[in-house]
Amino acid sequence: MALTIKSQLSSPGGILKFLIKYNTIFIFVLLVVFSAMISDVFFTSINLSNLLKQVSGIGIISIGMLIVILTGGIDLSVGSLVALLAVIFAILINIVVLPVAISLTIVIGFLLGSVSGYLVAYQKMAPFIATLALMTIARGLGFIYSKGSPITFKTPGGEFMADFANNSFLGIPNIAIIFILIVVIAQVLLHYNVFGRLIIAIGSNEEASRLSGIKVNKYKFLVYAISGALAATAAIIVASRTNLGSPNMGMAWELDAIAAVVIGGASLNGGKGSAINTLMGVLILGLIGNILNLLNVPSYPQQVVKGAIIVFAVLLQRFEDK
Amino acid sequence: MALTIKSQLSSPGGILKFLIKYNTIFIFVLLVVFSAMISDVFFTSINLSNLLKQVSGIGIISIGMLIVILTGGIDLSVGSLVALLAVIFAILINIVVLPVAISLTIVIGFLLGSVSGYLVAYQKMAPFIATLALMTIARGLGFIYSKGSPITFKTPGGEFMADFANNSFLGIPNIAIIFILIVVIAQVLLHYNVFGRLIIAIGSNEEASRLSGIKVNKYKFLVYAISGALAATAAIIVASRTNLGSPNMGMAWELDAIAAVVIGGASLNGGKGSAINTLMGVLILGLIGNILNLLNVPSYPQQVVKGAIIVFAVLLQRFEDK
Amino acid sequence: VDQSKSTQANVNSSEDTSEKVESAMDLTGMKIGYCTPSLNAPYYQALLQSIEASVEKNGMIFMSADGQDDINKQIAAVEDLITKGVDALLLNPKDPDALVGVTKMAAKAGIPVFIIDSSINPSADYVTTIQSNNLANGELAGEWLAKKFGSKKMNIALLSGNAGNPVGKTRKQGLLQGITEEQLRTLGYIDLNIKTQAYTDWSYAGGLKAMEDALVAHPDINVVITESDVCVLGAIKAIAQAGKTDDILIVAGADGQKEAIKYIMDTDFYGCTAMNSPVQIGKNAVEYAIQYFNGKRDFPKTAFTAPLLITKENAAKYYDPKALF
Amino acid sequence: MNNSESEYRLEMNGISKSFGIVSVLQDVNLKVKHGEIHALIGENGAGKSTLMKILSGVHQKDNGQVFLNGEEIAPKNTHEGQLLGISVVYQELSLVNDLSVAENIYLHKLGANKFWMNWKKITKDAGDLIKSLGFDINPAARVRDLSIVQKQVVEIAKALSEDTKILVLDEPTTVFDPTDTQKLFDNLLRLKKEGVSIIYISHHLEEIFKIADTVTVLKDGVDTGSKAVSETDTDEVIRMMIGRELKDLYPVRNVEISKEPIFSVENLTAKDTLVNNVSFSVRAGEVLGIAGLGGSGRTETAKLIFGADKKKSGTVTLGGEELNITCPAKAVKHSIGFVSEDRKEEGVFLPLSIGRNISITNFKPISNKFGFIFSEKEKANVIGLIDKLSIKTPSGKVVVKNLSGGNQQKVALAKWLSIDSKVIIIDEPTRGVDVGAKVEIYNLINEVAKKGVGVIVISSDMPEIMGISDRILVMHKGTIFGELPKEEFSEENILRYSIGKSLKSLMFH
Ligand SMILES: Nc1ncnc2c1ncn2[C@@H]1O[C@H](COP(=O)(O)OP(=O)(O)OP(=O)(O)O)[C@@H](O)[C@H]1O
Ligand SMILES: Nc1ncnc2c1ncn2[C@@H]1O[C@H](COP(=O)(O)OP(=O)(O)OP(=O)(O)O)[C@@H](O)[C@H]1O
Ligand SMILES: [Mg+2]
Ligand SMILES: [Mg+2]
């Protein structure tokens, strides 16, 4: 990215272009400044750390959503997967040692994502509908496995995870570090690795990709599987924060994740989007909720304001395409 | 349609083609036969009439969803619009005469839909995100206007609507008649009216449509507005069935509507779909819920089965594109 | 069922406490249908299982349907139960007005309707309402809180479920009523200082986030009142994280969930909760239905389980680590 | 000036246009008379299409004036352009795939004022119109199911379906074989007689000399003047276009061709298309041409070999080893390349940069084994290819959508010609490419062949296929009907085979 930025700054009209390309960042900065101005508690370290912790779960699934959206797909199952996988993780943590519980959960997430991946890639099912079906199924399974009640962590492993999830390293919450790590990996993969090149190519012209010898199906399959694995990661994090796995978790998170990705400038037609901007999208959404809470705006007017800000943020982005 | 069917039946391999083109109908018939076989109460007139009443609300918004999807868009706001408009209708019916309450509600629905329409058509916002924002906003407004509690019908007009919504004409529930009427109008408009052909053209190739001199923006605007008006119609119906308007209505209906449209063979990329098949999609979804209830399948396994049947129904459809 | 009997087993035990009800007629093959408004909370799950256990214990057939948190879907679910020809319908209505229609439909089909857990509009056609006394429970908790604080200044954060929920509303009313009544009685004035209300969606994660933001915005909060234990169980993490367990007192208007009882036993910051036993409601409901089958018709319009406050003093008695809820 | 007196039907004066900072047209003049066929030519990216899009209302000019019959016009969108009687066949297909042929033809009219569809009438009218143009397409068919040739016919029919004063054809014949082209010309001459003014854009100069009355040449967004066709010749026009002489369009072939075939197919038959019993072989270093009429199955044969279509029977052998190719990825793994004729749908990634387009087939040399890309290496590679194919662009970062048609074609080629293949199939290699660039592409094909690659070129352009092939196969009805060695190359021979006849003077060897 550094390279891109430099070369753009040096070209004529470069700064303007830079502002336009990374305008999500500027919307974010705008919001931060605004928030700091109207609430004197906003800029406290505890609030910022809360904010980071609050967005990490949705943030991680947003990265999965991003890579799915880059291929021109969509993954509605992630919210339900978080619930199901949180339940599975809570069950596992109570019966096997921590590392096994973590790895197994992630593997199961990968496999669950593979189900959508298989339907989309090899059965040519519309992603919306394949993942909608998985969303329904996963939520159902979550309730079945948990018998409808949250499953509490009971082992030292569980305690360790709870500590981990609520503590910080150098002032940054551990789970936020994981989230940011995932963002960085994604950004690097998307930008500097063949994997990113290929999924972006698939999203911008699937037929041309096929005829260029790309194993389109394999990659389409993979992105859903990865999205599933990331949902598992998010599930582990949110379950650890509350010390339990509940089938009610992740309700409608898929919508927030999609909104974050789109606010981050990605196109739902595929082929366009970046991990850094998705991070900004996640932060913007989280910030809106946080600042409205701090300002004591009641819940329902909050929804109205949130919707309006989403519209506003996306409208600002239109300049990018010019 | 009659013409198409005839010409297809007479062409070689015609019957097969016909089966394939209208395969949603066959999935539906299959389900009906299956249901009748495994449940002896399924084929009672009371159950069938219940089923029709149960699906009418979602059915009506599915038709709005269909025309939006035909243009290549999507309308996530419909469920929330049903809630907001049901609240508005309940408020109106208590202060103005019935015909005014009905017309005003539909006009307001049209205007609310126009908001998405404006953002999508004239501000080039991604439909997913524009309607997601409206979804959040409308739900919030519903709670604000109703102060969070349902608003009960109190006037003779309200009683009239309640009677109307729960009675039948020639054995068919009145509200189902309205739904079917809307389906028929939509089918005719889509097939025999220029409006329908143009929105299909737009969904199939927006750029080509623009180059052909079609006022693309106008039509894109219109479909969302119409979807809003249909949401109002659905709101009036569901409010009348329960005799009140509640901000909790229509939760996640947008997903059911989308599923119905897709099960009805429409493509989320636009340009492909029919009202009759959407009707089948609505009935299939309703039927699944109904028969699982009749079979005493508990709620969460039900979700799992429902998801599986959606996958199955859509998989069957794949043959169509051959 | 008289009141004394209903207080006896107010414990959400995991053991099968369902008992066989005496019945003159043969109950075999009778169908009891239960329609829940949603299953998105452990409480509803526990209620469903309690009813199921009681029904089966008495040799009857259990049928359930789920409103999936949607008024219209609940109507559809009830219609389907009626179609299936249940002999009695236990209805937990999502909305007091919206479900009136289906009770009439059931009555027309000759099915007695028992409203359980939530309330319904009196114009509905039903035999009786079986619920815990949310208002009275809330009042007990409110009173307890006001007593505890005396004239000391309260800065309250209210954690609610979701807006527009009638049960939550009643509990909230109870809590506030309890506080104000007690203050009037002992102080002669009302000093009700609710700094913020936050919605938790009846979930742990929702409570956690709501509390985090509330604590930042209102660092002086020293009381958290809530419509349900579930709203506050996640929030405790935020309170602990902020190091405020010594400064904040939690008071729940309902449920007596086992985790909450455990906190009450083990800590000082979880003051009290009030018993809303799904097990008891379920058992009573089935018992009423059986009595109805046996010809009894003179039911009171409302049958509350007895209000009961759980505090440190009596918590151990109601704590069962193996309980479902 | 007054209507009836205006000498010109259309006058475009001093037109300028830029996209952002890129200036595309500067002070361009174009004057078209009544009942004239006016050729507009120029290199790829000269601005021809842009000028026509300004005329029809797709783009808005920055400067200048447009007069139609002496009255100034400024259509703000295509709808206004149509009302003024301007019909355009755009360079890129712009049909609605999900509607029928008839609906597509009358699409603009549907939008105008009608309310109910008259299916019978539009189907009949469309059928009549297509027939009157000399083609045969079922008007009730879905456009999605048509071949690219048929789609182009529908485009033309659509433009002719209304009272046109000015008809613009932007490279209408790139997918046509000679017979189709002739049919189009007959129609244009008829329209000309009826007084329609026709602006005809093409890179086939012989077409210009066949039908045009006047020719205007654009070079780098500036018009270098107009000439009556009768007063000029190919050389002069080329000089006006590219600013220099062009001696040999087809480079000399001095490639060593191996004796043994490197690649062969035996009795290849497709599952879903008309291709049947196709057998042929290519030798290393050889350029094998495949000719045939539109619909003869050339493209399908290529796609079948490449694994994009399903095979029913037959074998494919590469370097003595029999291959089982079930998908394009497998073909690519065996070093077989394929350049599609449909660059927009199957060739390029329009929203992506030139660089990303070019790299897509060839990450090996520019990345490490973990897939991380060395951006410097990539950049060097891309810049090299841009130079080599003289793709007209300020940088490799420009998105392909913003390139002119011919330059997009070069990008599509670049991504395959830059890699090490053993066999490469090129379907219509110079679709929409200007003469100057054609030479470069032919040179490149030669270079590739020289490396010992077997090159299969499918082309509808007779002079081209004869100019670059060592041997020509002619397809008819889905199979190879005949084979012509270099000595027997002639338009007549190819045509005879194409329509399923044997050669006039049978030669026995
Ligand atoms: N939308 C656009 N944005 C930026 N540049 C554009 C755009 N459209 C065209 N151009 C540029 O304008 C120039 C002229 O393009 P145009 O398509 O008019 O060329 P052309 O003469 O038709 O070429 P060809 O023979 O290859 O079709 C090209 O350099 C092209 O890259
Ligand atoms: N001009 C035409 N008339 C009738 N049918 C056609 C025509 N062109 C194409 N088709 C149909 O399309 C299919 C093949 O089209 P396609 O253009 O891909 O073949 P092709 O031999 O590669 O032609 P081209 O010369 O255009 O590359 C055939 O099945 C044929 O039925
Ligand atoms: Mg051009
Ligand atoms: Mg071809």
Side-chain angles (χ1 to χ4, degrees), chain D residues 139-350:
Chain D
R142 263 202 325 175
V143 166
R144 185 182 294 291
D145 301 328
L146 301 185
S147 75
I148 193 163
V149 177
Q150 292 171 314
K151 285 182 184 168
Q152 184 67 29
V153 173
V154 175
E155 281 282 7
I156 292 169
K158 183 177 167 183
L160 297 182
S161 69
E162 65 182 329
D163 272 344
T164 300
K165 295 198 182 72
I166 297 180
L167 172 64
V168 179
L169 297 153
D170 196 347
E171 306 196 28
T173 57
T174 52
V175 294
F176 280 179
D177 62 42
T179 50
D180 291 336
T181 305
Q182 190 51 51
K183 282 184 206 162
L184 174 66
F185 286 175
D186 294 344
N187 285 304
L188 295 186
L189 293 172
R190 177 173 54 80
L191 288 170
K192 171 183 163 174
K193 244 183 241 142
E194 289 166 11
V196 176
S197 301
I198 298 169
I199 301 175
Y200 189 89
I201 300 177
S202 177
H203 291 294
H204 295 289
L205 297 182
E206 72 283 358
E207 293 180 359
I208 308 292
F209 285 93
K210 205 162 163 189
I211 56 158
D213 304 303
T214 316
V215 53
T216 295
V217 180
L218 281 187
K219 180 169 165 43
D220 289 336
V222 183
D223 64 309
T224 53
S226 301
K227 284 248 151 101
V229 165
S230 51
E231 288 163 20
T232 185
D233 57 19
T234 318
D235 288 342
E236 188 187 17
V237 170
I238 290 178
R239 209 180 321 116
M240 287 165 80
M241 263 173 72
I242 63 177
R244 60 186 161 93
E245 300 281 343
L246 192 68
K247 276 187 230 82
D248 297 302
L249 185 51
Y250 303 105
V252 216
R253 304 258 310 126
N254 54 358
V255 176
E256 186 131 342
I257 300 173
S258 73
K259 285 254 153 42
E260 288 307 305
I262 178 170
F263 177 78
S264 61
V265 299
E266 205 68 50
N267 293 324
L268 206 57
T269 300
K271 209 165 163 189
D272 304 317
T273 66
L274 76 174
V275 178
N276 64 86
N277 274 313
V278 171
S279 307
F280 68 84
S281 59
V282 204
R283 285 168 285 175
E286 183 182 35
V287 177
L288 175 68
I290 300 184
L293 298 183
S296 58
R298 295 164 301 171
T299 297
E300 275 86 348
T301 302
K303 285 195 165 175
L304 186 58
I305 293 172
F306 196 60
D309 284 350
K310 292 234 153 46
K311 188 172 81 173
K312 194 161 135 201
S313 61
T315 56
V316 176
T317 316
L318 178 69
E321 182 198 351
E322 193 179 321
L323 306 180
N324 175 25
I325 298 171
T326 49
C327 64
K330 279 201 179 151
V332 172
K333 215 170 131 209
H334 289 114
S335 301
I336 300 174
F338 170 62
V339 181
S340 166
E341 66 179 345
D342 189 349
R343 66 165 171 262
K344 188 178 163 196
E345 301 288 336
E346 305 179 341
V348 294
F349 302 89
L350 287 175

Side-chain angles (χ1 to χ4, degrees), chain B residues 192 194 197 204-205 210 212, chain D residues 78 98 103 115 117 158:
Chain B
Y192 297 104
V194 172
R197 305 319 292 174
S204 178
N205 188 339
R210 190 168 282 122
S212 300
Chain D
T78 50
D98 290 306
E103 284 176 288
F115 190 70
M117 298 290 295
K158 183 177 167 183

Side-chain angles (χ1 to χ4, degrees), chain D residues 31-94:
Chain D
K31 295 188 168 60
V32 185
K33 292 187 194 129
H34 298 263
E36 167 186 59
I37 299 183
H38 194 117
L40 181 61
I41 61 173
E43 284 180 294
N44 296 131
K48 306 178 293 291
S49 301
T50 306
L51 186 64
M52 291 302 104
K53 284 181 177 168
I54 286 173
L55 175 62
S56 70
V58 177
H59 293 321
Q60 308 305 309
K61 58 186 185 298
D62 298 340
N63 269 313
Q65 288 164 307
V66 181
F67 294 97
L68 182 65
N69 290 326
E71 269 175 53
E72 183 162 3
I73 58 164
K76 283 191 291 299
N77 52 48
T78 50
H79 184 65
E80 287 186 23
Q82 280 167 5
L83 293 181
L84 292 165
I86 300 165
S87 300
V88 185
V89 174
Y90 293 98
Q91 185 172 7
E92 301 299 341
L93 281 174
S94 41

Side-chain angles (χ1 to χ4, degrees), chain C residues 22 67-68 84 86 99 107-108 132 144 162 168 170 193 205 209 213 222 231 237 263 277 283 297 299 308 324-325:
Chain C
E22 270 170 47
Q68 294 169 43
K84 282 195 283 189
V86 291
L99 278 296
K108 228 193 251 166
S132 55
W144 183 90
N162 58 338
T170 313
N193 180 25
K209 175 172 167 22
D213 289 342
N222 56 5
C231 303
K237 289 261 182 294
Y263 274 119
S277 164
K283 256 181 5 195
R297 290 295 180 272
F299 291 95
L308 171 73
L324 247 177
F325 177 73

Side-chain angles (χ1 to χ4, degrees), chain B residues 71-94:
Chain B
T71 66
I74 200 156
D75 189 350
L76 298 181
S77 68
V78 286
S80 298
L81 284 185
V82 166
L84 173 56
L85 290 161
V87 167
I88 289 176
F89 181 62
I91 294 177
L92 286 175
I93 209 171
N94 289 340

Side-chain angles (χ1 to χ4, degrees), chain A residues 42-104:
Chain A
F42 173 77
F43 243 120
T44 54
S45 75
I46 168 107
N47 187 53
L48 295 181
S49 134
N50 281 346
L51 178 60
L52 279 177
K53 280 193 267 182
Q54 288 165 9
V55 299
S56 293
I58 287 187
I60 290 171
I61 61 168
S62 299
I63 296 297
M65 187 66 80
L66 169 69
I67 62 170
V68 170
I69 284 178
L70 278 175
T71 66
I74 200 155
D75 189 350
L76 298 181
S77 68
V78 286
S80 298
L81 285 185
V82 165
L84 173 57
L85 290 160
V87 168
I88 289 176
F89 180 62
I91 294 176
L92 287 174
I93 210 171
N94 290 339
I95 52 178
V96 295
V97 294
L98 186 60
V100 178
I102 291 178
S103 340
L104 258 180

